């Protein structure tokens, strides 16, 4: 039996070489509304502000893509503060039950080594009762929730895995198997022993060879070391002033089981958990690397008929009282698991999405709860699904929006330069080093693209906004009336949602068609002065500042962009930007 498992491990080791992390995609490109995801951001940030958690990482997986990945707050606040990042490794606590022990059990079922209906006594004779493997997986065995660590340590010494399993085998049962539900760490410590007996390997070695390495989960392990250890977020402060770092928080796992335990002990990060989630969403396979068969995955998320009232599946939670992390909106077949340290995974096979929320809520002290936060985040993610945007833009647009999302938030003291490539290409912060300048230009953007991303700007009520757009709308063959109408929508939204912000509307610049670079602007030279005249009238009617840039850049007595000020007939060189900066300096600084 041991040789069989080792051979399978060798087979999987070949597959490891081709395992790859999930592809990052923009939420909108997979039908997820990133604007709605900001409600998840807000819930997490509020929990940080309320000191419920020091920080968090949120990942949203859609099929085999990473649709959202973001870090918040700090991974450590004692004895020093260290910022959270998306590669932070967390003590997964009881999520270990699902992502390690339960999958190992199901693999052995697939390989004909054990049956779910087997009595535990077949493998551990000291279990002189009728508890079965399936009872352990569904928490319907009747075993107590936990064990008295201090007493066990006094009797057996620590670590003492044999002493612990001996205690579990003979301790008082709280009810007959399948007659009740009681969440118990002892169930999964028992399953650990069965996996180790059958496979001839430690649980750590087994899941590394048959699960983590197969999927390429490079920063997932018990007892992390090396680079993985460096990434670990610490957990609880100890009596001597130290913090647990890379050492499992759970006392039974840490003290009695030496850090490798069926109930807790796995450390992992959002990227690796996303790979595991993608594999489960894809019926047990990720990019050619299979960990379970489709029928096994289906069985793991299905509550057995004889214990259907209790809501627990084979190592996962479907609808028990512990399943609040699924929220209120995800599908009826959603399943997941939570960890005491503040971790959780939720997988909705109906909508092909997984929500991974990782916090270290027990750092530096175990005084808060994330039960409600998990639901809030799951609801926000669920509400963002299947919400394709009214308008779709080009990849660079979404990359920049994602970049803006990960930058420090805009404040009420900031001056925002908002527009298209002409704005993006300007080094405004270098020209105005004493001001709080934020560049929110996106090459290729148009009026409605700006409108659709104002949600990232207006809630902060910035001090000023310098808006400049129109060239790309002209290239789309829109009429001047249409373009002015679209820009008016942007202007009105800014004034309505952030009336304290001083808005400066800047006119369109001329173009030079002789470069032959932008075919979509052929024949449009005379459109720009007409557009500016209309924009100026609109600005005056609304009482906002209008800066007419056009005559500063046109050759005398023409509507043509001066060749000495441009790189390609549309975009400016440094000399051109110097002219622009000089024109608006007073408006920026006053």
């Amino acid at each position: 039996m041991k040789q069989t498992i080792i051979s399978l491990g060798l087979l999987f080791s070949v597959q490891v070489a081709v395992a790859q992390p999930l592809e990052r995609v923009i939420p909108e490109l997979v039908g997820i509304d990133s604007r709605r995801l900001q409600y998840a951001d807000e819930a997490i940030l509020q929990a940080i502000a309320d000191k419920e958690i020091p920080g968090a990482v949120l990942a949203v997986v859609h099929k085999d893509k990473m649709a959202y990945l973001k870090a918040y707050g700090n991974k450590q606040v004692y004895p020093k503060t260290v910022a959270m990042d998306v590669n932070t490794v967390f003590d997964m606590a009881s999520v270990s039950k699902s992502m390690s022990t339960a999958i190992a059990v199901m693999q052995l079922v697939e390989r004909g080594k054990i049956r779910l209906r087997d009595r535990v006594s077949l493998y551990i004779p000291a279990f002189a009762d009728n508890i079965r493997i399936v009872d352990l997986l569904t928490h319907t065995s009747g075993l107590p929730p936990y064990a008295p660590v201090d007493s066990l340590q006094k009797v057996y010494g620590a670590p003492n895995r044999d002493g612990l399993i001996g205690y579990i085998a003979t301790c008082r049962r709280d009810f007959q198997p399948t007659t009740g539900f009681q969440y118990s760490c002892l169930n999964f410590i028992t399953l650990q022993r069965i996996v180790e007996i059958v496979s001839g390997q430690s649980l750590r070695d087994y899941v590394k060879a048959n699960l983590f390495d197969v999927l390429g989960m490079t920063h997932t392990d018990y007892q992390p070391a090396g680079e993985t250890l460096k990434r670990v977020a610490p957990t609880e402060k100890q009596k001597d002033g130290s913090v647990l770092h890379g050492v499992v928080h759970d006392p039974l796992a840490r003290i009695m089981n030496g850090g490798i335990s069926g109930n807790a002990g796995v450390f992992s990060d959002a990227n690796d958990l996303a790979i595991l989630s993608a594999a489960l969403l894809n019926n047990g396979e990720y990019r050619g690397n299979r960990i379970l068969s489709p029928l096994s995955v289906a069985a793991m998320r299905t509550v057995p008929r004889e214990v259907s009232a209790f809501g627990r599946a084979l190592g996962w939670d479907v609808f028990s009282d512990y399943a609040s992390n699924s929220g209120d909106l995800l599908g009826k077949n959603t399943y997941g698991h939570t960890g005491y340290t503040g971790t959780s995974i939720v997988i909705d096979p109906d909508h092909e999405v997984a929500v991974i929320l990782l916090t270290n809520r027990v750092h530096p002290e175990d005084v808060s709860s994330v039960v409600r936060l998990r639901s809030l985040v799951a609801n926000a993610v669920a509400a963002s699904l299947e919400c394709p945007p009214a308008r779709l833009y080009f990849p660079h647009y979404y990359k920049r929006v994602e970049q803006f999302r990960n930058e420090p938030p805009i404040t009420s003291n900031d001056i925002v330069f908002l527009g298209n490539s002409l704005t993006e290409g300007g080094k405004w912060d270098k020209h105005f080093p004493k001001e709080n300048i934020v560049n929110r230009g996106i090459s290729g953007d148009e009026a409605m693209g700006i409108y659709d991303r104002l949600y990232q700007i207006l809630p902060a009520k910035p001090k000023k906004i310098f808006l400049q757009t129109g060239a790309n709308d002209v290239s789309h063959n829109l009429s001047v009336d249409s373009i002015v109408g679209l820009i008016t929508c942007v202007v009105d939204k800014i004034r309505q949602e952030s009336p304290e912000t001083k808005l400066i509307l800047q006119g369109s610049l001329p173009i030079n068609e002789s470069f032959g670079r932008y075919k979509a602007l052929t024949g449009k030279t005379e459109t720009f002065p007409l557009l500016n005249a209309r924009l100026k009238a609109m600005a005056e009617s609304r009482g906002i500042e209008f800066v007419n840039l056009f005559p500063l850049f046109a050759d005398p007595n023409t509507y043509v962009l001066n060749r000495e000020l441009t790189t390609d007939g549309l975009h400016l060189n440094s000399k051109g930007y110097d002219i622009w900066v000089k024109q608006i300096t007073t408006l920026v600084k006053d």
Side-chain angles (χ1 to χ4, degrees):
M1 184 179 300
K2 180 175 181 180
Q3 182 61 44
T4 300
I5 300 298
I6 291 174
S7 298
L8 287 167
L10 290 174
L11 172 61
F12 290 144
S13 69
V14 176
Q15 295 176 305
V16 172
V18 297
Q20 299 175 5
L22 259 64
E23 176 187 355
R24 291 284 302 276
V25 296
I26 302 302
E28 277 76 8
L29 299 183
V30 290
I32 296 176
D33 188 345
S34 62
R35 290 172 297 182
R36 290 174 173 266
L37 287 175
Q38 71 177 323
Y39 297 120
D41 295 343
E42 291 173 5
I44 294 169
L45 291 172
Q46 188 61 53
I48 294 171
D50 293 341
K51 299 189 183 306
E52 294 174 0
I53 55 175
V57 174
L58 171 63
V60 178
V61 177
H62 183 66
K63 298 182 180 178
D64 62 347
K65 304 285 194 302
M66 181 78 84
Y68 200 68
L69 179 63
K70 188 170 182 178
Y72 313 78
N74 298 304
K75 75 175 183 180
Q76 179 177 321
V77 296
Y78 173 88
K80 63 180 180 180
T81 299
V82 179
M84 187 71 77
D85 65 77
V86 296
N87 296 312
T88 298
V89 172
F90 291 80
D91 178 346
M92 295 304 298
S94 285
V95 179
S96 306
K97 294 180 173 71
S98 298
M99 66 178 290
S100 174
T101 311
I103 292 176
V105 170
M106 294 305 295
Q107 287 181 337
L108 294 176
V109 170
E110 286 189 344
R111 297 168 188 178
K113 305 303 179 184
I114 63 176
R115 296 188 311 160
L116 294 179
R117 298 182 63 84
D118 282 346
R119 291 189 177 185
V120 176
S121 59
L122 178 64
Y123 307 97
I124 310 174
F127 272 74
D129 51 24
N130 58 352
I131 295 176
R132 302 167 303 166
I133 290 175
V134 66
D135 304 328
L136 301 174
L137 286 166
T138 57
H139 294 284
T140 57
S141 68
L143 288 175
Y146 212 65
V149 177
D150 290 343
S151 298
L152 293 177
Q153 190 173 7
K154 290 178 181 178
V155 173
Y156 300 108
N160 194 321
R161 300 168 67 251
D162 291 338
L164 176 58
I165 204 68
Y167 167 83
I168 297 172
T170 58
C171 69
R172 174 187 55 83
R173 276 54 170 152
D174 292 334
F175 51 81
Q176 288 295 311
T178 74
T179 63
F181 163 73
Q182 181 168 260
Y183 183 84
S184 172
C185 287
L186 307 189
N187 288 322
F188 278 75
I189 293 173
T190 304
L191 288 169
Q192 172 193 1
R193 178 54 64 97
I194 294 172
V195 169
E196 292 176 340
I197 290 172
V198 173
S199 70
Q201 297 175 280
S202 72
L203 178 62
R204 180 189 189 186
D205 290 343
Y206 178 88
V207 293
K208 177 174 172 54
N210 294 276
L211 175 55
F212 303 150
D213 282 355
V214 174
L215 293 179
M217 298 169 65
T218 56
H219 294 290
T220 301
D221 199 359
Y222 293 87
Q223 297 178 324
E227 180 61 30
T228 299
L229 178 59
K230 293 178 182 178
R231 298 183 179 190
V232 170
T235 54
E236 194 170 3
K237 179 182 177 182
Q238 302 300 290
K239 292 180 180 179
D240 63 1
S242 65
V243 291
L244 295 176
H245 179 256
V247 178
V248 61
H249 180 269
D250 180 83
L252 270 179
R254 182 176 76 253
I255 298 172
M256 294 305 298
N257 251 355
I260 303 171
S261 193
N263 70 310
V266 174
F267 287 76
S268 190
D269 66 5
N271 292 289
D272 281 2
L273 294 167
I275 292 174
L276 176 62
S277 299
L280 294 173
L281 285 168
N282 194 40
N283 293 316
E285 184 261 344
Y286 173 69
R287 298 190 180 181
N289 302 308
R290 181 167 294 281
I291 55 168
L292 289 170
S293 69
L295 292 183
S296 292
V297 174
M300 287 194 80
R301 63 178 186 240
T302 302
V303 179
R305 287 190 296 270
E306 59 188 310
V307 292
S308 59
F310 304 127
R312 300 294 295 212
L314 303 178
W316 296 90
D317 196 352
V318 179
F319 58 83
S320 82
D321 290 342
Y322 293 80
S324 63
N325 60 307
S326 296
D328 308 302
L329 304 177
L330 292 172
K332 65 180 181 179
N333 295 309
T334 298
Y335 61 103
H337 212 286
T338 62
Y340 184 83
T341 52
T343 56
S344 67
I345 301 177
V346 176
I347 301 174
D348 180 348
D350 297 332
H351 299 99
E352 299 182 282
V353 68
V355 183
I356 299 162
L357 178 62
L358 304 176
T359 81
N360 55 333
R361 69 154 195 91
V362 295
H363 175 74
E365 297 177 338
D366 181 4
V367 294
S368 63
S369 170
V370 292
V371 172
R372 184 170 182 272
L373 175 63
R374 288 167 174 153
S375 295
L376 296 176
V377 170
N379 286 344
V381 173
S384 74
L385 302 176
E386 301 180 11
C387 291
R391 293 167 288 274
L392 274 175
Y393 302 107
F394 42 93
H396 179 70
Y397 175 93
Y398 293 108
K399 288 179 180 178
R400 286 285 281 171
V401 169
E402 178 77 7
Q403 177 184 334
F404 299 154
R405 184 182 295 119
N406 292 319
E407 290 179 358
I410 293 171
T411 73
S412 59
N413 293 320
D414 289 334
I415 299 173
V416 179
F417 280 75
L418 178 60
N420 51 37
S421 58
L422 289 168
T423 297
E424 182 178 353
K427 299 178 181 180
W428 310 107
D429 57 335
K430 301 295 191 298
H431 288 293
F432 302 106
K434 295 183 179 180
E435 308 295 333
N436 298 320
I437 302 296
V438 177
N439 191 329
R440 286 293 182 266
I442 297 182
S443 179
D445 207 0
E446 56 201 61
M448 293 314 294
I450 292 172
Y451 182 93
D452 286 341
R453 58 188 176 92
L454 287 175
Y455 72 92
Q456 291 188 323
I457 299 170
L458 300 185
K461 306 294 188 291
K463 182 179 178 181
K464 299 176 184 179
I465 293 178
F466 283 79
L467 172 64
Q468 198 281 326
T469 191
N472 292 308
D473 297 273
V474 172
S475 74
H476 297 332
N477 291 319
L478 297 178
S479 68
V480 169
D481 285 345
S482 296
I483 297 169
V484 172
L486 296 174
I487 296 176
T488 301
C489 289
V490 177
V491 167
D492 287 347
K493 186 176 181 67
I494 293 172
R495 297 176 74 235
Q496 289 166 8
E497 296 189 13
S498 187
E500 303 92 341
T501 299
K502 181 176 181 179
L503 175 60
I504 298 94
L505 178 61
Q506 303 171 103
S508 291
L509 277 65
I511 61 172
N512 191 321
E513 296 184 44
S514 68
F515 283 77
R517 174 80 179 272
Y518 298 98
K519 303 301 183 184
L521 288 172
T522 301
K524 307 294 186 183
T525 295
E526 295 188 3
T527 302
F528 290 93
L530 297 174
L531 175 60
N532 281 325
R534 292 290 308 279
L535 290 176
K536 180 180 179 181
M538 181 268 287
E540 289 176 349
S541 70
R542 283 164 169 73
I544 63 176
E545 189 86 34
F546 179 77
V547 179
N548 189 8
L549 300 171
F550 191 91
L552 303 175
F553 296 94
D555 282 328
N557 303 315
T558 76
Y559 298 145
V560 178
L561 176 59
N562 188 326
R563 293 184 67 91
E564 295 182 0
L565 304 178
T566 182
T567 58
D568 55 10
L570 175 63
H571 299 101
L572 299 180
N573 56 27
S574 60
K575 186 177 179 180
Y577 277 110
D578 287 341
I579 293 173
W580 190 342
V581 167
K582 183 178 179 180
Q583 181 68 18
I584 63 174
T585 293
T586 300
L587 291 170
V588 171
K589 293 184 177 181
D590 68 2

